[in-house]
């Protein structure tokens, strides 16, 4: 399966929403759809799904992530992570108790790997017992014992996504910096084997094969291997060779708002909520990465579910302003205060030149963007050199085209 659009992502994750459905959850989902279509600011529906960053910690330094080696990147230099950044079980239970019976799923990760949290299995149990689908996404590059893998399989986890950036260590480690593919494959194989031994359907296992020019030749072999293991789904899509912080506001120009459409231009404020380990709420997981765990603090928090509640934050003035803006970005021209909104400058709502910062594996090559440093880790080539390389490539293509025509 290839993911080419947000709709593709929704389709492959339909199990989050349709499995273990109840009448009350179905009604909540229908109300959410109806109110989003009507562009309501105050909602009667609860978030359909919540992403809970139970811990932002990670043991890898992947090139795309906020955990990457800074190598002179000021936004990455400002990242602040420490071992105390973990949501407690009691705090987590408070969230689950509030949303159970209404929301359909929780996804227990964002900028960290969920296996870094020592209480992950218990958290999966809590969500499962509350009737929620529970999902994690992991690089899976951990040295796990059989007992640890068995506990994960028996934890109540319903959906497991494992990201793989190649089948050989040589290619995998270019972007999964510090990771070991042998550990990933061992863990995957045992999850599928123990699930069969227990006669379980869950957790459903999806492998995301992140494609780059340097690992395309390994995809077919990897796909055969994963299906042989018993993986339920293999999803392939192009990876990014830029860093998340390359797309933060201030790195590109905002030209103006996009035209109002019949439906909101973004559905995150109507269907999902992102909760950080400390209870702080952000409206989505796709924007303003560099400020979320910066040492100076996160200026884009909409509220805190531990200080109030999920419901109070969900219908707070800040959240309602978000829905106003995504429903009609042109309002920013008559209401300049909306420029202070989290969503201001997002390319879903505004015309920007952010494309100049995108580096996709579909047409960019790792060796054009990175060199391997003395410690064996990727070092980003200065942007001016990168742009000069791309300019030369474009000029060469133009010359070749002209020569072929003559």
């Amino acid at each position: 399966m290839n993911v080419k659009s947000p709709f593709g992502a929704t389709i492959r994750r339909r199990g989050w929403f349709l499995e273990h459905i109840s009448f009350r959850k179905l009604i909540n989902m229908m109300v959410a759809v109806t109110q989003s279509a009507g562009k309501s600011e105050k909602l009667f529906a609860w978030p359909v799904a919540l992403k809970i960053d139970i811990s932002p910690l990670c043991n890898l330094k992947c090139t795309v992530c906020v955990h990457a080696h800074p190598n002179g990147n000021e936004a990455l230099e400002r990242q602040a992570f420490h071992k105390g950044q973990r949501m407690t079980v009691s705090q987590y239970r408070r969230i689950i108790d509030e949303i159970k019976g209404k929301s359909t799923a929780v996804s227990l990760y964002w900028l960290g790997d969920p296996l870094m949290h020592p209480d992950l299995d218990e958290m999966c149990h809590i969500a499962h017992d509350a009737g929620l689908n529970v999902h994690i996404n992991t690089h899976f590059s951990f040295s796990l014992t059989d007992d640890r893998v068995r506990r994960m399989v028996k934890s109540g986890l319903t959906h497991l996504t494992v990201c793989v950036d190649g089948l050989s260590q040589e290619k995998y480690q270019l972007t999964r910096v510090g990771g070991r593919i042998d550990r990933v494959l061992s863990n995957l194989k045992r999850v599928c084997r123990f699930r069969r031994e227990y006669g379980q359907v869950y957790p459903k296992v999806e492998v995301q094969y992140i494609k780059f020019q340097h690992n395309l030749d390994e995809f077919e072999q990897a796909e055969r291997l994963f299906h042989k293991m018993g993986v339920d789904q293999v999803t392939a899509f192009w990876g990014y060779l830029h860093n998340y912080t390359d797309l933060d506001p201030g790195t590109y120009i905002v030209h103006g708002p996009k035209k109002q459409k019949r439906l909101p231009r973004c559905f995150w404020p109507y269907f999902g909520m992102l909760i950080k380990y400390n209870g702080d709420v952000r409206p989505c997981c796709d924007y303003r990465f560099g400020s979320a765990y910066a040492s100076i603090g996160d200026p884009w928090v909409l509220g805190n579910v531990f200080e109030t509640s999920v419901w109070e934050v969900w219908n707070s003035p800040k959240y309602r302003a978000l829905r106003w803006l995504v429903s009609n970005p042109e309002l920013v021209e008559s209401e300049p205060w909306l420029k202070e909104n989290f969503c201001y400058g997002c390319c879903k709502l505004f015309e920007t030149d952010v494309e100049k910062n995108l580096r996709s594996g579909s047409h960019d090559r790792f060796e054009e963007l990175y060199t391997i440093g003395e410690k064996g880790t990727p070092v980003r080539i200065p942007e001016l050199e990168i742009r000069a390389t791309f300019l030369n490539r474009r000029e060469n293509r133009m010359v070749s085209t002209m020569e072929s025509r003559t």
Side-chain angles (χ1 to χ4, degrees):
M1 178 178 181
N2 282 281
V3 178
K4 297 183 178 180
S5 71
F7 296 103
T10 301
I11 290 171
R12 84 177 194 272
R13 289 173 174 168
R14 59 189 178 276
W16 295 13
F17 308 105
L18 301 180
E19 295 169 17
H20 306 115
I21 194 72
S22 66
F23 180 73
R24 188 178 181 187
K25 293 177 191 175
L26 181 61
I27 292 297
N28 184 71
M29 199 180 304
M30 292 173 62
V31 172
V33 170
T34 301
Q35 291 202 281
S36 66
K39 298 182 176 180
S40 302
E41 295 170 29
K42 184 177 181 179
L43 301 186
F44 297 106
W46 288 73
V48 175
L50 291 87
K51 184 177 282 289
I52 306 176
D53 201 20
I54 57 176
S55 174
L57 304 181
C58 189
N59 59 329
L60 301 191
K61 300 285 185 181
C62 302
T63 52
V64 75
C65 189
V66 294
H67 292 279
H69 291 289
N71 294 322
N73 181 319
E74 293 183 4
L76 293 179
E77 294 280 3
R78 290 193 294 268
Q79 299 305 302
F81 297 103
H82 57 83
K83 63 181 181 180
Q85 292 171 312
R86 294 188 176 103
M87 183 177 290
T88 68
V89 172
S90 60
Q91 289 173 327
Y92 173 79
R93 190 186 297 275
R94 174 176 168 179
I95 296 171
I96 300 303
D97 285 345
E98 187 177 359
I99 66 172
K100 66 181 179 182
K102 287 95 67 176
S103 300
T104 64
V106 289
S107 188
L108 307 184
Y109 82 101
W110 181 37
L111 293 178
D113 193 290
L115 270 75
M116 295 292 290
H117 201 298
D119 300 314
L120 173 62
D121 294 340
E122 184 177 359
M123 290 175 160
C124 290
H125 272 297
I126 291 169
H128 176 266
D129 290 347
L132 290 157
N133 292 312
V134 54
H135 166 257
I136 64 170
N137 187 311
T138 174
H139 56 67
F140 229 16
S141 183
F142 294 89
S143 181
L144 304 179
T145 64
D146 281 356
D147 179 64
R148 178 69 187 83
V149 177
R150 288 181 184 276
R151 283 189 283 113
M152 180 186 300
V153 172
K154 296 290 287 183
S155 68
L157 177 68
T158 59
H159 297 80
L160 168 67
T161 300
V162 178
C163 297
V164 176
D165 291 24
L167 198 57
S168 66
Q169 180 63 25
E170 178 186 12
K171 297 181 178 182
Y172 172 83
Q173 67 188 4
L174 292 179
T175 48
R176 293 285 165 183
V177 182
R180 284 178 46 180
I181 189 62
D182 59 331
R183 290 177 174 175
V184 178
L185 298 179
S186 171
N187 294 334
L188 258 175
K189 184 177 181 179
R190 286 180 291 158
V191 164
C192 294
R193 175 160 60 90
F194 295 154
R195 185 181 62 172
R196 285 194 302 271
E197 289 180 4
Y198 293 135
Q200 296 180 189
V201 173
Y202 299 101
K204 300 285 185 67
V205 181
E206 175 195 17
V207 171
Q208 291 180 352
Y209 191 91
I210 315 300
K211 297 188 298 183
F212 300 97
Q213 298 296 328
H214 59 263
N215 69 14
L216 280 179
D217 62 319
E218 297 181 342
F219 172 63
E220 291 185 3
Q221 180 186 356
E223 188 174 33
R224 289 193 298 270
L225 175 63
F226 296 140
H227 284 308
K228 184 178 179 181
M229 287 180 181
V231 165
D232 298 285
Q233 182 175 322
V234 179
T235 304
F237 55 86
W238 291 108
Y240 292 126
L241 287 167
H242 56 258
N243 186 270
Y244 289 148
T245 61
D246 293 335
L247 308 185
D248 278 350
T251 65
Y252 57 86
I253 297 172
V254 179
H255 297 295
K258 292 183 177 180
K259 299 292 185 182
Q260 180 182 12
K261 298 177 70 174
R262 186 174 65 84
L263 295 175
R265 282 191 168 271
C266 179
F267 292 97
W268 257 99
Y270 290 94
F271 293 93
M273 173 186 282
L274 168 62
I275 304 176
K276 293 163 61 177
Y277 80 95
N278 60 359
D280 286 345
V281 172
R282 281 184 153 222
C284 86
C285 66
D286 296 327
Y287 191 44
R288 299 186 187 271
F289 289 95
S291 57
Y293 291 106
S295 55
I296 58 175
D298 186 356
W300 302 106
V301 174
L302 302 182
N304 186 289
V305 297
F306 301 143
E307 295 174 1
T308 55
S309 66
V310 171
W311 183 252
E312 286 182 73
V313 176
W314 184 236
N315 272 307
S316 65
K318 288 185 178 181
Y319 240 116
R320 294 169 71 174
L322 284 172
R323 298 182 186 116
W324 201 33
L325 183 58
V326 301
S327 296
N328 181 11
E330 293 177 287
L331 286 170
V332 77
E333 296 178 333
S334 59
E335 302 288 344
W337 60 272
L338 286 173
K339 290 185 177 181
E340 304 301 318
N341 190 289
F342 175 94
C343 298
Y344 179 76
C346 175
C347 62
K348 291 183 180 180
L349 311 180
F350 293 85
E351 301 289 351
T352 75
D353 67 346
V354 71
E355 293 84 2
K356 67 180 174 57
N357 296 344
L358 296 174
R359 301 287 181 262
S360 173
S362 61
H363 54 271
D364 297 324
R365 296 180 178 277
F366 179 87
E367 60 270 21
E368 294 173 333
L369 300 169
Y370 294 89
T371 59
I372 301 301
E374 295 179 359
K375 296 182 179 180
T377 58
V379 177
R380 183 77 171 267
I381 296 172
E383 189 65 23
L384 289 177
E385 292 183 32
I386 292 173
R387 294 189 181 184
T389 298
F390 290 163
L391 181 60
N392 290 335
R393 185 202 298 169
R394 184 172 62 183
E395 290 176 347
N396 291 335
R397 284 201 302 265
M398 292 175 64
V399 170
S400 298
T401 301
M402 293 175 66
E403 289 177 347
S404 64
R405 290 177 179 175
T406 58

